[in-house]
Amino acid sequence: FFFKQKTAYEIYQCDWSSDVCSSDLVRSVAQHADDTVRGADAALIGLVERIEIDGVEGEARERLRRVFQRHISTLPPLKGLSFINAEGDSIVNSQAFTQRINFADRDYFQFHRAHSAPFAYIGKPVRGQVSGDWIIPLSRRVNHADGSFAGLMLATLDMTYFENFYAGFSIGEKGVITLVSGNALVLARRPFVEANVGRDLSGGAIFKDYLPQSPEGAVWGYSIQDGLYKLAAYRRTDAYWLVVWVALEENDILVAWRAETLRTGIFTGVALGIIALLGFFLTRQIGLRLRAEAVAAEGAASYRLLADTSTDMIFRLDRTFKRRYVSPAS
């Protein structure tokens, strides 16, 4: 995924308004990738030490194969394990095949042969020579007692394991989740596009302009792949320098906001309608009461005038039969 600049990029901490557009999503994907690689690498560390001490000859080879199979059964991301010697030949592997396969042309083999650095190397994704499935190579160097190159331990991670995890996120129709290695090679992507597998993104804006400034953030820009204006939140992990970004199309980001605005507008309109209706009935009742009081006052004044001017005796008694009013004329 590349970006081409519109005017100027905005760099800020990811704080998207919709539920599917948050920095938590990017952190979740990055943490999942880091934990997956960490689990496989832990198995490699133990296996490298075992090979350097016990070797791979005779009975040690069969024991090593059984250990491989136990790791495969307990670590779901693992597709296979293999020990490759200094000539690039697979000597011990977890899969049930007997033909010898040479890996000397693979990037991870050439890296370990040229470098003695004791860390894991994430290679370019390839199709497995036996299964034909897309796999992500993870390897560690194996040394002889004198420190010379003895081969490497290779773990292959199932690419569909990552794709299935990414499928659980709601990112809209045009959204993209991308997992990239520290050397800028595409490892996994949703949606899956075979042409993008292993693609070198070192020349893209994320790697050139933004990661050098901050290991995480967000950027607005136009995608070179589909020309859509998107917001991409990115994050680089600390342990294996994996880079993850989630890019969402502008309209997909606004969908939740528009829906919430519509719901709020409808609720507000209904509430205002109810308030207006209650106000109308209250005003009407107040008006009726005022008119009734005016009619009653007018009637009382008329009766008082009639009593005061009448020649008949008009009096009012209370409950103790005391006169409280006697007409003046009488």
Side-chain angles (χ1 to χ4, degrees):
F1 192 93
F2 290 81
F3 285 98
K4 56 184 179 181
Q5 192 167 344
K6 181 182 180 182
T7 52
Y9 286 106
E10 300 175 62
I11 303 177
Y12 50 88
Q13 292 301 317
C14 191
D15 186 17
W16 302 344
S17 58
S18 78
D19 293 337
V20 299
C21 309
S22 69
S23 58
D24 290 341
L25 191 154
V26 178
R27 291 191 179 98
S28 175
V29 175
Q31 187 64 53
H32 172 266
D34 211 41
D35 290 345
T36 301
V37 174
R38 190 189 306 274
D41 190 29
L44 288 183
I45 292 173
L47 292 170
V48 167
E49 183 179 5
R50 187 186 188 104
I51 293 171
E52 289 179 344
I53 295 175
D54 298 340
V56 292
E57 301 300 329
E59 188 178 345
R61 178 177 301 188
E62 188 56 35
R63 287 200 306 268
L64 189 61
R65 191 190 309 277
R66 289 196 296 268
V67 174
F68 284 0
Q69 292 171 348
R70 284 198 297 270
H71 281 306
I72 296 296
S73 63
T74 56
L75 293 173
L78 279 181
K79 191 78 171 177
L81 287 167
S82 180
F83 169 67
I84 299 170
N85 67 10
E87 287 72 42
D89 295 325
S90 176
I91 302 302
V92 187
N93 57 76
S94 59
Q95 298 181 355
F97 64 90
T98 58
Q99 67 272 27
R100 179 163 293 189
I101 302 176
N102 189 271
F103 296 86
D105 60 335
R106 299 297 170 87
D107 60 326
Y108 49 84
F109 181 87
Q110 295 173 11
F111 173 84
H112 288 302
R113 185 169 58 184
H115 301 85
S116 59
F119 56 77
Y121 180 86
I122 301 175
K124 181 178 180 179
V126 294
R127 284 193 179 275
Q129 296 188 26
V130 177
S131 65
D133 299 327
W134 281 102
I135 54 176
I136 301 170
L138 176 70
S139 57
R140 275 186 174 270
R141 175 179 168 126
V142 178
N143 291 324
H144 290 296
D146 60 359
S148 60
F149 180 57
L152 58 91
M153 262 306 307
L154 172 67
T156 54
L157 302 176
D158 190 357
M159 187 181 293
T160 58
Y161 177 80
F162 295 95
E163 295 171 357
N164 292 336
F165 179 73
Y166 301 158
F169 294 101
S170 176
I171 58 173
E173 295 182 0
K174 306 291 177 53
V176 175
I177 299 177
T178 307
L179 172 64
V180 185
S181 66
N183 53 355
L185 299 179
V186 175
L187 302 178
R189 185 181 187 272
R190 174 194 169 191
F192 177 78
V193 178
E194 187 168 335
N196 285 329
V197 176
R199 185 176 181 182
D200 186 353
L201 302 185
S202 57
I206 296 266
F207 278 88
K208 285 179 59 179
D209 303 328
Y210 302 111
L211 282 174
Q213 298 183 39
S214 174
E216 63 178 324
V219 55
W220 278 101
Y222 282 98
S223 167
I224 290 180
Q225 294 186 2
D226 53 26
L228 297 175
Y229 194 54
K230 294 183 178 181
L231 175 62
Y234 65 89
R235 182 178 178 84
R236 182 175 58 204
T237 67
D238 296 328
Y240 295 94
W241 278 49
L242 296 166
V243 178
V244 171
W245 66 76
V246 180
L248 293 103
E249 200 265 331
E250 185 177 24
N251 289 328
D252 289 335
I253 294 176
L254 296 177
V255 163
W257 174 80
R258 289 168 178 163
E260 182 62 27
T261 301
L262 179 61
R263 287 193 296 268
T264 303
I266 293 174
F267 175 79
T268 303
V270 171
L272 290 175
I274 293 174
I275 293 173
L277 189 61
L278 291 174
F280 169 76
F281 283 113
L282 181 61
T283 303
R284 186 170 180 271
Q285 291 299 320
I286 293 174
L288 292 175
R289 180 178 177 180
L290 292 175
R291 285 194 293 274
E293 290 177 351
V295 170
E298 184 179 354
S302 299
Y303 284 121
R304 183 61 179 262
L305 178 62
L306 178 63
D308 287 347
T309 58
S310 174
T311 57
D312 297 326
M313 176 178 283
I314 300 174
F315 61 90
R316 184 175 73 248
L317 301 177
D318 63 14
R319 291 183 178 183
T320 63
F321 295 99
K322 290 182 179 181
R323 286 193 292 258
R324 297 299 181 183
Y325 171 81
V326 178
S327 57
S330 63

